[in-house]
Amino acid sequence: MTTTGEEHASARGGPWWWSRRRSAVFDWSLAVVSAAECAVEGYPFARDAGVPAAAGVVFGLLAGSVLLVRRKWPIAVVLVAIAITPAQMGFLMGIVGLYTLAASELPRRIIASLAGMQLVGTLIVTFVRVGQSMDQGRLTIGDWFIPFAAITTSLGLTAPPLLLGLYVGARRRLMESLRERADSLERELQLLAERAEERAEWARGEERTRIAREMHDVVAHRVSLMVVHAAALQAVARKDPEKAVRNAALVGDMGRQALTELREMLGVLRSGDGRGRREGPSVSVAAVAVVSRAPEEGEGPCLSELDELVGQSAAAGMAVDLSVEGEVRGYAREVEQTAYRVVQEALTNVHKHAAGAKTYVRLAHRVAEIAMQVENEPPPEVGSASSARLPSGGNGLVGMRERVVALGGVFVSGPTEAGGFRVSAVIPAV
């Protein structure tokens, strides 16, 4: 990962206002050279001004050393360079100061104003000096040379550092913008990764809940009927051998059906795991894929098997009555599966908690919804519910509610006034 933003800023470190030590060394070197240049140029200036030479040298040293603060106060450096231009001093300071000013974050109007002042100052001083040289006979060129030399010198000392500084400043701002954008993208990627991890965790939880619900629906009903038939088989084995044989056959059929459904479910899980291993090591991606996978055709029970489900409960000794209202039609696969599982789990609860009770199963096909209700009367004997010793995990009603609510339906369950129990659900047809 590249160093950007705060990491890039924290990687810097230098004395005072310098961001790096090498920048401080570079500025000190420039200040020394500028001070030496101004000190050398201060000697003829002192002679022409009629002041002691030492004063001119000291003045040059002080003026040239101002270049040391060019990064902190570039305006001050340019102003000093403009001020000492008439003394023909500080050429290096003027060039470097103007470059630093143009590359800074100051408003463009300030940069243009100071650059114009330096251009005009250099133009005037050069014009005067060249004119004096021609008057003194040191130059014998025509008068056209005076404005030419003044314009060329002023532009040469002003335009290059100004344009270079503007380019470097624009490039520096572009790099800072790119760093900020990289930081923003990195934060967004981290946020997306965290959200993806949260979604994957949610998907794993949803998949565990779905598997637990399917396992409960598949195993609980079949095994409950097997336990009921086994108890009946034990009771009539000696008295009615033929009925015992029929019960034994029913137990075998239900056991095979339970194994078949479990095998199909494990096959789906294994295929999902295999796909995850082939495509990559991410369990989260596999979980999301399994959760978002639409039910395949022919997978799971449907409402056409409801008669068989009721018949199995009747064969187990339950007095159950099935009534269907409205025009029978097909629904989406998940709607039919949910309706079937609600009736199945409700009948399983009757076997567990109200064995022998009269039960009514009602199914109503409406225009925009399908409604189902399973209601049982009180059991004939108080101890009949425990005669088969059927355990209860307390997850049946929870699973039914989750299934119905997931499809936008309404689920209600509770005891009746007569002492029985009622389970009702309404599921949208679409």
Side-chain angles (χ1 to χ4, degrees):
M1 184 177 67
T2 58
T3 303
T4 58
E6 296 179 357
E7 295 181 0
H8 180 78
S10 62
R12 303 177 178 184
W16 294 344
W17 55 82
W18 287 283
S19 59
R20 298 183 182 90
R21 293 185 180 276
R22 62 181 182 181
S23 300
V25 173
F26 181 72
D27 286 356
W28 274 97
S29 301
L30 286 178
V32 170
V33 174
S34 176
E37 176 205 354
C38 291
V40 172
E41 294 168 346
Y43 181 78
F45 167 72
R47 182 187 57 195
D48 295 339
V51 297
V57 172
V58 172
F59 175 75
L61 289 174
L62 295 176
S65 61
V66 176
L67 193 59
L68 184 65
V69 297
R70 70 182 185 94
R71 298 178 190 265
K72 185 70 172 178
W73 297 293
I75 296 178
V77 175
V78 175
L79 290 176
V80 172
I82 295 173
I84 63 176
T85 299
Q88 290 186 316
M89 298 170 58
F91 294 102
L92 176 63
M93 182 171 59
I95 295 174
V96 177
L98 187 58
Y99 161 80
T100 306
L101 178 69
S104 65
E105 300 293 334
L106 293 172
R108 292 296 178 87
R109 62 178 182 275
I110 296 179
I111 297 175
S113 300
L114 292 176
M117 292 172 60
Q118 185 164 341
L119 175 67
V120 172
T122 306
L123 179 67
I124 295 175
V125 171
T126 306
F127 189 90
V128 172
R129 290 294 184 180
V130 173
Q132 290 177 352
S133 298
M134 294 187 67
D135 291 341
Q136 294 174 2
R138 290 196 296 265
L139 292 175
T140 59
I141 307 176
D143 294 338
W144 62 269
F145 182 74
I146 298 176
F148 174 77
I151 294 174
T152 304
T153 303
S154 60
L155 288 177
L157 294 177
T158 305
L162 178 65
L163 296 177
L164 181 61
L166 292 175
Y167 167 75
V168 172
R171 183 176 179 274
R172 184 182 302 159
R173 286 188 291 272
L174 176 62
M175 294 301 295
E176 290 295 331
S177 175
L178 293 177
R179 288 195 189 98
E180 292 177 359
R181 186 175 299 179
D183 288 341
S184 177
L185 290 176
E186 186 175 353
R187 287 192 295 268
E188 290 180 3
L189 288 176
Q190 292 177 353
L191 182 60
L192 290 176
E194 292 175 359
R195 290 182 177 177
E197 183 62 27
E198 292 175 359
R199 178 173 174 79
E201 185 64 30
W202 172 84
R204 286 192 291 266
E206 287 292 317
E207 181 62 9
R208 285 193 294 267
T209 302
R210 189 181 72 86
I211 293 174
R213 188 165 55 237
E214 290 291 337
M215 294 288 289
H216 178 273
D217 292 340
V218 170
V219 175
H221 182 72
R222 302 293 183 189
V223 175
S224 297
L225 293 180
M226 290 171 62
V227 173
V228 171
H229 281 290
L233 177 62
Q234 183 180 4
V236 301
R238 295 181 181 179
K239 299 178 182 180
D240 192 349
E242 294 181 1
K243 187 175 182 180
V245 172
R246 290 195 300 270
N247 288 341
L250 288 174
V251 171
D253 292 339
M254 292 178 184
R256 283 188 290 272
Q257 291 176 2
L259 288 176
T260 301
E261 294 183 2
L262 286 174
R263 190 177 296 113
E264 291 176 356
M265 184 177 298
L266 292 176
V268 171
L269 294 176
R270 285 182 178 274
S271 64
D273 292 342
R275 182 170 59 253
R277 284 193 296 269
R278 288 193 299 272
E279 294 178 355
S282 175
V283 180
S284 304
V285 176
V288 173
V290 174
V291 169
S292 60
R293 179 176 56 85
E296 299 177 358
E297 285 295 328
E299 179 186 338
C302 57
L303 289 177
S304 60
E305 303 174 9
L306 202 58
D307 291 332
E308 181 183 355
L309 176 66
V310 173
Q312 292 174 354
S313 294
M318 177 187 293
V320 56
D321 178 55
L322 172 64
S323 62
V324 180
E325 301 175 3
E327 182 181 355
V328 178
R329 63 183 188 276
Y331 299 94
R333 195 69 192 174
E334 58 270 17
V335 174
E336 295 204 10
Q337 287 183 12
T338 301
Y340 181 92
R341 293 301 189 191
V342 168
V343 176
Q344 181 188 54
E345 181 58 28
L347 292 177
T348 301
N349 288 341
V350 175
H351 284 291
K352 290 181 179 180
H353 307 290
K358 178 69 175 179
T359 305
Y360 303 92
V361 179
R362 300 183 180 90
L363 186 67
H365 298 274
R366 300 171 183 170
V367 177
E369 61 189 16
I370 179 174
M372 64 225 67
Q373 178 178 291
V374 180
E375 180 179 350
N376 63 273
E377 298 177 351
E381 299 179 6
V382 178
S384 61
S386 60
S387 61
R389 298 178 182 178
L390 293 173
S392 176
N395 297 318
L397 294 176
V398 176
M400 286 189 283
R401 182 183 299 276
E402 289 176 350
R403 285 180 178 275
V404 173
V405 173
L407 297 180
V410 178
F411 178 84
V412 179
S413 63
T416 62
E417 296 179 357
F421 200 84
R422 181 188 298 119
V423 172
S424 302
V426 179
I427 305 174
V430 180

